[in-house]
């Protein structure tokens, strides 16, 4: 079952990345990036890294994508064309969603034990150990990333400012 889920969400990740590059509208590209980030979170779950999956959803699919959408709207990239939906959503989206739901229902029905078939590994990492590594050993890359995000926001504001 892990292999099937890996191929489904790996393929969804690749398709979302291609859609990100091929879209003409920046908001649609940002939505495709959310699909990529969410698919990566599921892949982290399949690897047994629950904390990384939660961080992926909260930090990247949540906060960073809100930032990207804010910057896109701040730049006002031109007049949006009104679209009435995509034909791909009808032919690929609905059967794909039905297949994913059927796979998840099958997986939940197969693993209906007290823990759902989950087992702890030999090596358990606590949140304290993880935070010690993040905020002591990797403090410099963590802070450099926050400064880069701040510079990106300031650059977007400078580009969006109109000369009087």
């Amino acid at each position: 079952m892990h292999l099937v889920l890996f191929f489904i969400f790996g393929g969804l990740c690749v398709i979302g990345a291609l859609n990100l590059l091929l879209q003409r509208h920046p908001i649609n590209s940002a939505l495709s990036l959310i699909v990529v980030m969410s698919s990566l979170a599921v892949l982290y779950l399949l690897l047994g890294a629950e904390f990384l999956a939660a961080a992926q959803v909260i930090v990247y699919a949540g906060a960073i994508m809100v930032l990207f959408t804010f910057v896109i709207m701040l730049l006002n990239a031109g007049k949006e064309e009104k679209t009435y939906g995509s034909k791909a959503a009808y032919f690929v989206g609905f059967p794909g969603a039905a297949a994913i739901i059927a796979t998840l229902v099958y997986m939940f029905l197969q693993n209906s034990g007290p823990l759902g078939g989950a087992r702890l590994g030999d090596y358990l990492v606590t949140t304290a150990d993880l935070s010690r590594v993040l905020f002591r050993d990797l403090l410099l890359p963590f802070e450099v990333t926050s400064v880069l995000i701040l510079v990106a926001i300031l650059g977007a504001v400078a580009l969006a400012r109109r000369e009087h």
Side-chain angles (χ1 to χ4, degrees), residues 92-143:
V92 178
F94 291 130
I100 290 172
I101 290 172
T103 305
L104 290 174
V105 166
Y106 174 76
M107 189 174 67
F108 286 134
L109 290 177
Q110 288 289 27
N111 296 325
S112 60
L115 291 177
R119 291 177 299 279
L120 291 177
D122 295 335
Y123 187 72
L124 184 63
V125 176
T126 64
T127 308
D129 294 336
L130 190 59
S131 63
R132 191 173 304 112
V133 169
L134 271 177
F135 296 119
R136 188 186 64 201
D137 301 338
L138 299 175
L139 182 65
L140 182 63
F142 187 76
E143 291 299 323

Side-chain angles (χ1 to χ4, degrees), residues 20-102:
L20 168 78
L21 295 175
L22 299 176
Q23 281 293 327
R24 297 180 75 193
H25 301 292
I27 295 292
N28 292 345
S29 292
L31 291 174
S32 294
L33 192 56
I34 290 174
V35 169
V36 171
M37 296 298 176
S38 301
S39 298
L40 284 175
V42 173
L43 291 176
Y44 285 141
L45 274 177
L46 289 174
L47 290 172
E50 292 85 9
F51 181 77
L52 281 178
Q56 180 79 19
V57 170
I58 292 168
V59 174
Y60 290 109
I64 300 298
M65 289 313 304
V66 167
L67 176 71
F68 281 0
T69 307
F70 176 72
V71 168
I72 289 169
M73 290 180 175
L74 183 67
L75 288 177
N76 196 10
K79 186 176 180 181
E80 288 286 329
E81 297 175 11
K82 177 109 172 120
T83 60
Y84 296 101
S86 171
K87 301 264 189 237
Y90 295 115
F91 296 118
V92 178
F94 291 130
I100 290 172
I101 290 172

